Amino acid sequence: MSTRETDSTSTTQNASTEPILRTENVRKEFGNLVAVDGVSLEFYDDEIVGIIGPNGAGKTTYTNLISGALSLTDGTIVFDGDDISDLRKYKRVRRGLVRSFQIPQIYDELTVFENVQSSVLSRKQENNRLFSLTHRDTASIEETERLLEMFNLESHADEHTEHLPHGVRKILDVAMSFALRPKLMVLDEPTSGVGSREKNAVMETITDAAVERNIGLIFIEHDMELIRSYSDRIVALHEGRVLDDDDPAAVMNSEAVNQFILEGGV
Ligand SMILES: Nc1ncnc2c1ncn2[C@@H]1O[C@H](COP(=O)(O)OP(=O)(O)OP(=O)(O)O)[C@@H](O)[C@H]1O
Ligand SMILES: [Mg+2]
């Protein structure tokens, strides 16, 4: 496994100084319910951050605010130096902020190869020409081949996606998101529904690819072993607020995290 920690020590000259994403006091109310209650956090494009918290802590809502799937009640979101608080979701994607398992959509009538290629072409805004270009756009074919290789999908290239094992489908979704050339990717429970033996392989493939492409990752996860193994940093949310934000060992040893999260299950 290549973790970001080992990587960053060997590439300190590339270390990020400015956060790629900063949320300042972001808040989301649903009627009387405060789902996210003033969350201020920074994320860098050379790290993998795990988000933990009990059911209803506000994890999904927080990432929906980041992606623009939900509008803010209050607060500010700065991405790559710009205030994107009011920016539409698709415009955030274009800037390199991609939340997976929503965008892009997997087309079951297409093969794995064609799905990844459709993402490559959509980035180039040539999606409407997909069918005429599929067999002759050399650049997109080569890029698709590289992505399939990076995500260990070559053996599935010609398969239609409806019959793929769940874990492979998850990896395909992330590969398609990578085709959009994100700077930061947000994943909500990337291994949910994946068999326990497959979970590590899914996480390993995704995190290795992120390290290789220098893409920041934020992932929500309930499985503490996965969180511990694949995060450079862990953010613990509880009742819409940040309970802790530190390296994995410190968070796992935190009294508050143990009291409110680990003992109650995440
Ligand atoms: N669209 C919505 N309308 C009303 N309430 C919502 C909506 N989405 C989420 N909530 C509420 O906001 C709170 C936070 O929910 P959220 O889904 O963000 O939690 P979570 O940490 O992702 O939980 P889980 O671990 O179960 O996925 C919960 O009380 C939830 O019921
Ligand atoms: Mg959730």
Side-chain angles (χ1 to χ4, degrees):
M1 178 183 68
S2 45
T3 69
R4 198 70 64 149
E5 252 159 6
T6 40
D7 238 49
S8 58
T9 48
S10 59
T11 57
T12 39
Q13 72 274 18
N14 295 327
S16 310
T17 48
E18 287 297 313
I20 184 74
L21 175 71
R22 197 168 77 236
T23 71
E24 295 167 5
N25 266 310
V26 300
R27 181 178 176 88
K28 183 64 184 178
E29 296 169 5
F30 295 111
N32 291 329
L33 180 97
V34 184
V36 175
D37 189 6
V39 172
S40 299
L41 288 168
E42 293 184 344
F43 301 93
Y44 292 81
D45 63 7
D46 62 350
E47 63 174 355
I48 298 171
V49 180
I51 299 186
I52 62 171
N55 293 122
K59 305 181 296 296
T60 296
T61 304
Y62 179 62
T63 56
N64 280 334
L65 294 172
I66 291 172
S67 70
L70 288 172
S71 60
L72 293 164
T73 303
D74 203 359
T76 306
I77 301 176
V78 177
F79 181 72
D80 209 10
D82 295 320
D83 186 338
I84 58 155
S85 308
D86 298 319
L87 208 62
R88 300 283 296 276
K89 191 165 66 172
Y90 77 96
K91 289 193 173 170
R92 299 184 197 201
V93 172
R94 287 240 173 270
R95 283 176 185 233
L97 177 53
V98 175
R99 186 178 189 278
S100 194
F101 308 132
Q102 288 183 329
I103 326 162
Q105 193 187 343
I106 293 176
Y107 300 103
D108 278 336
E109 64 276 22
L110 300 183
T111 64
V112 167
F113 188 98
E114 289 165 343
N115 265 286
V116 174
Q117 191 184 21
S118 79
S119 259
V120 170
L121 292 170
S122 83
R123 188 195 73 238
K124 298 175 167 184
Q125 296 183 305
E126 289 169 350
N127 209 15
N128 51 346
R129 293 162 64 202
L130 170 64
F131 294 100
S132 58
L133 282 171
T134 298
H135 299 293
R136 50 198 178 85
D137 181 33
T138 321
S140 77
I141 289 172
E142 283 173 7
E143 189 173 337
T144 302
E145 284 168 349
R146 280 199 302 277
L147 283 163
L148 293 183
E149 191 183 337
M150 177 179 280
F151 284 92
N152 304 318
L153 288 169
E154 300 113 304
S155 62
H156 298 285
D158 298 326
E159 290 173 30
H160 284 262
T161 58
E162 59 199 325
H163 305 302
L164 290 177
H166 201 60
V168 177
R169 206 179 156 88
K170 292 262 180 181
I171 288 173
L172 169 62
D173 192 300
V174 178
M176 290 170 70
S177 299
F178 267 53
L180 303 176
R181 302 232 172 121
K183 293 174 180 161
L184 179 69
M185 250 187 75
V186 183
L187 308 167
D188 191 351
E189 303 192 32
T191 68
S192 74
V194 176
S196 52
R197 280 184 308 167
E198 252 189 305
K199 282 178 188 274
N200 272 297
V202 169
M203 278 309 296
E204 187 132 345
T205 304
I206 294 171
T207 53
D208 281 355
V211 169
E212 193 177 326
R213 285 275 167 107
N214 266 311
I215 294 168
L217 271 192
I218 301 174
F219 75 110
I220 297 173
E221 183 57 66
H222 282 271
D223 183 321
M224 280 300 124
E225 277 313 306
L226 290 180
I227 280 276
R228 213 194 309 255
S229 303
Y230 295 99
S231 310
D232 298 323
R233 176 158 69 95
I234 297 177
V235 168
L237 291 183
H238 178 60
E239 295 181 351
R241 297 194 188 141
V242 177
L243 194 62
D244 206 355
D245 171 16
D246 213 330
D247 62 74
V251 171
M252 294 297 172
N253 288 324
S254 144
E255 217 170 279
V257 169
N258 275 281
Q259 182 184 347
F260 292 113
I261 300 183
L262 299 179
E263 283 166 15
V266 291

